[in-house]
Amino acid sequence: MSVQHEISQRDLRNRSGEIMDAVEHGESFTVTRSGSPIAQLVPLCRRHAVSRDQFAAVSANAPLIDPDRFRADLDDALEGEADDPYGR
């Protein structure tokens, strides 16, 4: 886990390019205004697309899912909190 640096709003404005480069390379920052924290700059998780063949190869040994059982599990987990989008 990376160290979270504290920077002022003014510092962010004056060094934005340098700070954003650091964020891109995994560093995180807490931005302050008048000494009070107001925001966090953190790197986004990068997602990588996989081809259909890669997905099929990884999924080949996945267990089969019973759709009725899956729905029942979801209903139990949500305890009726979810609305039926087709029931409107």
Side-chain angles (χ1 to χ4, degrees), residues 57-68:
V58 170
S59 303
N61 296 324
L64 295 177
I65 296 174
D66 176 1
D68 295 327

Side-chain angles (χ1 to χ4, degrees), residues 1-46:
M1 188 168 159
S2 66
V3 174
Q4 181 122 6
H5 305 284
E6 191 170 288
I7 58 171
S8 68
Q9 179 181 3
R10 175 176 288 156
D11 200 22
L12 174 60
R13 181 186 67 227
N14 293 338
R15 298 176 39 225
S16 63
E18 175 187 341
I19 291 167
M20 296 308 271
D21 286 344
V23 171
E24 186 175 30
H25 290 94
E27 293 189 47
S28 298
F29 295 85
T30 298
V31 182
T32 62
R33 181 188 295 153
S34 301
S36 297
I38 59 169
Q40 290 184 330
L41 289 174
V42 296
L44 293 175
C45 296
R46 295 187 184 254

